[in-house]
Amino acid sequence: MADYDYDVLIIGSGPGGYVAAIRAAQLGLRTACVESRETLGGTCLNVGCIPSKAMLHASEYFDAAANGTMAKMGIKVTPELDLPTMHGQRLDAVKQLTGGIAFLFKKNKVTWLKGRGAFVDAHTVQIGEQTVTAKDVVIATGSSVTALPGVTVDNDKQVVVDSTGALELRKVPGHMVVIGGGVIGLELGSVWRRLGAKVTCVEYLDQILPGFDGEIRKESNKMFKKQGIEFKLSTKVTGIAVNGETATVTVEPAAGGAAETIEADCVLVSIGRRPNTDGLALEKAGLSVNPRGQIETDHRFQTKVPGVWAIGDVIPGPMLAHKAEDEGIAVAENIAGLTGIVNHDVIPSVVYTWPEIAGVGLTEEAAKEKGEIKVGKFPMAGNSRAKTNHEPDGFVKIIADAKSDRVLGVWAIAVPAGTMIAEAGLAMEMGATSEDIAYTCHAHPTHSEAIKEAAMAVRGKAIHV
């Protein structure tokens, strides 16, 4: 057997990479993780999931004070925005969590190799001037913002920015144009709308949130409009001209037609993400990417090259931190000779707006293509906890197979929908029927009772509607 420096080498320390490294070390493997950032955690912890949630949460407080929600509950305040402090608490959250991963690496004896990794061959990786070998190598390099052709993003100037730049704005824009009606654009657009910006969202498709259940997409659009976000759907951006501290965005109907311009103080380009495979020298390991720039693997996350594995955003599937985490655990266990499995049919998606939007499993449209279904819905306006909290918007929807009653998909718009959806995911993982959920006692008063009521509604037995 060859003498390797490490049993496992993970390239990338995002949610997939750092979890894979810790799990591999727990299983007794000599483990190292390659990361070029000054802090661990990848995009998610440094400039993605975590800092955006810190800004979303803080801006919710400001908006509740500014829009009269707190006044309705007998709390009279006049909010004053201290943006530097708001950014400070965001940075503190990032510092604590990235530092926590560094602590876990030390605790589990994972070696952090600082720098960018590139293959020399399937078992050898160059990191700066250092060359290391490993019996197994895991590619977990994540993804980056997709560029809009012909548009230059300059986060320092803060006029045309990507998601990273939108987290760092030094002042509230007078008018922000968000290009893309997906999760990231809607979340960051919501932050700055709450803090006082006028927000216009331009989406090429005829509806926001591609991939979500159709009814959820329509209701979400209504909800955001009510909050003050303007939408230009079925619209494409044909150009952005920057003049000093402002930008002129040229748009036209996606199907063709007369162009118009939108003046903006800030333009957020948020049209998706692409796998990070450039610079890895994959060809030296015997690998290539598919037409979408992804690395293909089998169900065990093994590439076509023995000893080289891949997880997270660089492989097919949704680009979600929790998917990458589960794959990180699974790939480490597979390398260690155990059986690591991820059920990709039960991966929840969440939009952390107000209220939150979440789903797991099939949309109603996809479920209908597979066979006869039954659907149960329950409005949050009928939920006791939502009523007491002044949170009436949204509903829960459960899609079940008409014959077996097995739950195929659950979708929700509710303030804590991102937390509520975990129950649905567990139910689906265990093969539950809508009747199983309906006959499970839920604490009262809780938002989660809406899931129980939606399950009861599948058979026409909802109580509070």
Side-chain angles (χ1 to χ4, degrees), residues 94-129:
V94 170
K95 181 180 179 180
Q96 289 186 49
L97 288 168
T98 55
I101 298 173
F103 167 77
L104 291 172
F105 269 23
K106 290 180 181 179
K107 176 183 175 183
N108 290 281
K109 296 182 174 56
V110 175
T111 301
W112 176 6
L113 301 175
K114 298 183 180 181
R116 291 187 176 275
F119 283 98
V120 176
D121 58 45
H123 298 281
T124 309
V125 174
Q126 184 82 29
I127 305 132
E129 297 182 357

Side-chain angles (χ1 to χ4, degrees), residues 1-202:
M1 181 180 293
D3 184 20
Y4 298 105
D5 297 321
Y6 299 98
D7 297 318
V8 184
L9 179 68
I10 292 101
I11 306 176
S13 76
Y18 87 74
V19 168
I22 292 171
R23 184 65 183 128
Q26 287 175 345
L27 293 169
L29 301 174
R30 293 175 300 153
T31 307
C33 183
V34 180
E35 176 55 59
S36 61
R37 290 181 188 268
E38 292 300 314
T39 51
L40 300 168
T43 294
C44 178
L45 270 73
N46 286 278
V47 293
C49 320
I50 297 305
S52 65
K53 302 313 164 283
M55 292 297 284
L56 281 158
H57 185 61
S59 65
E60 285 169 7
Y61 279 107
F62 183 86
D63 192 45
N67 69 17
T69 299
M70 293 178 69
K72 290 178 183 177
M73 293 184 279
I75 306 168
K76 295 184 177 181
V77 294
T78 302
E80 179 182 347
L81 178 61
D82 181 351
L83 192 53
T85 298
M86 189 176 287
H87 281 312
Q89 60 87 35
R90 166 181 61 85
L91 295 170
D92 184 60
V94 170
K95 181 180 179 180
Q96 289 186 49
L97 288 168
T98 55
I101 298 173
F103 167 77
L104 291 172
F105 269 23
K106 290 180 181 179
K107 176 183 175 183
N108 290 281
K109 296 182 174 56
V110 175
T111 301
W112 176 6
L113 301 175
K114 298 183 180 181
R116 291 187 176 275
F119 283 98
V120 176
D121 58 45
H123 298 281
T124 309
V125 174
Q126 184 82 29
I127 305 132
E129 297 182 357
Q130 181 182 13
T131 301
V132 298
T133 59
K135 183 174 183 290
D136 291 278
V137 179
V138 180
I139 303 168
T141 45
S143 61
S144 297
V145 173
T146 298
L148 184 63
V151 174
T152 300
V153 168
D154 189 335
N155 288 332
D156 292 333
K157 290 185 178 179
Q158 300 199 336
V159 178
V160 180
V161 301
D162 57 20
S163 57
T164 299
L167 287 167
E168 299 279 356
L169 298 182
R170 293 181 289 271
K171 63 181 180 180
V172 179
H175 186 191
M176 170 180 273
V177 172
V178 177
I179 302 175
V183 176
I184 296 171
L186 291 171
E187 287 184 353
L188 292 175
S190 291
V191 167
W192 295 106
R193 197 283 308 165
R194 292 172 193 159
L195 298 180
K198 175 184 176 182
V199 175
T200 301
C201 179
V202 181

Side-chain angles (χ1 to χ4, degrees), residues 349-366:
S349 297
V350 183
V351 190
Y352 294 92
T353 49
W354 183 277
E356 293 177 350
I357 306 160
V360 63
L362 297 177
T363 64
E364 183 174 347
E365 295 80 9

